Amino acid sequence: MSVTGVRAFRLVLRLYPVEYRREYGEDMVQVFIDQQLHDRRPASALLLHETFDAVRIAPRMRLESPMKIGWLGGSRVQNLHAQGRLDHMDMCGGEPTAWWRIECSHCLTDFVTWDTRRRYCSDECRTENKRARKQARVAARCATTRRADAEESIVDSAWARPTTTRI
Amino acid sequence: MGRGEEVEEFLPLPASAMHIVVALADGEKHGYAILRDVAELSDGAVRMGSGTLYGSIKRMLDQGLIEETEERPDPALDDQRRRYYRLTSLGERVGAAEHRRLTALVDAARLRHLGLRLGST
């Protein structure tokens, strides 16, 4: 068994999505070792075969993987289906043809969509973000006003008459 | 939904999935045993990569066509690191339906002497 071959194969595995590697990476390494030991195939030929396989398979897995990640996995997509928000997605034979993982501009979690223009994972996030932006604008305006008021008060105090006390 | 309709949803089965179904038809196997079986059954014509194998296994697990098994078929030869898979009843029905579909296709091709014509060129 070639240790260098196994190391090189671990590098090839990096082409696959991380969640897939976590689930099946060690099994794939074990299969690679078994093939070297029992089939007596040279590590270089095996590695070439596996690299071609990875180049062919991994991009599709990466496209499909957003549907499987964390709390945004299949259930999330099903929820979006149930809410009727994915009615207009790109479908082919009952399957979505392209899915994208996008970071929500508000809560910074990843969400799954076919629409690359979407910025928020939910209506709540969009509303919250709008409210937050409005608050920030108001706060900035208030800060400007306060600063102007403060500067004005400094100017006023400089020009203010000295207080007089009747004796 | 009837059982027939449930099975029809999975057809046509991808070639790699059908190879795995055939390999698992005579009992549970681990990844390397499936690869070896597929190569043997096809006289070495089909050599799956491990990415294709585990990609198909993952999809078939999600679809409920196969399942991971806890029992080890042969404790003496067992390696704890390996995961064994077996067909579910749905997987068996889908495999049988795909077999019927492919047989019908091959029969139709034979009726039109497709093999002979292509073989003569």
Side-chain angles (χ1 to χ4, degrees), chain A residues 147-160:
Chain A
R147 199 163 46 241
D149 286 348
E151 281 167 4
E152 202 175 324
S153 67
I154 290 167
V155 172
D156 283 349
S157 63
W159 285 98

Side-chain angles (χ1 to χ4, degrees), chain A residues 101-142:
Chain A
R101 178 170 41 191
I102 299 176
E103 191 179 75
C104 176
S105 298
H106 181 65
C107 63
L108 303 180
T109 51
D110 288 350
F111 67 99
V112 182
T113 179
W114 67 275
D115 186 355
T116 51
R117 293 167 301 178
R118 271 186 64 170
R119 293 177 60 200
Y120 305 105
C121 64
S122 62
D123 290 342
E124 288 78 12
C125 271
R126 191 176 58 236
T127 313
E128 280 297 314
N129 195 272
K130 193 175 174 185
R131 190 179 299 153
R133 276 184 293 146
K134 189 175 178 184
Q135 277 176 357
R137 269 202 311 274
V138 170
R141 204 181 305 142
C142 287

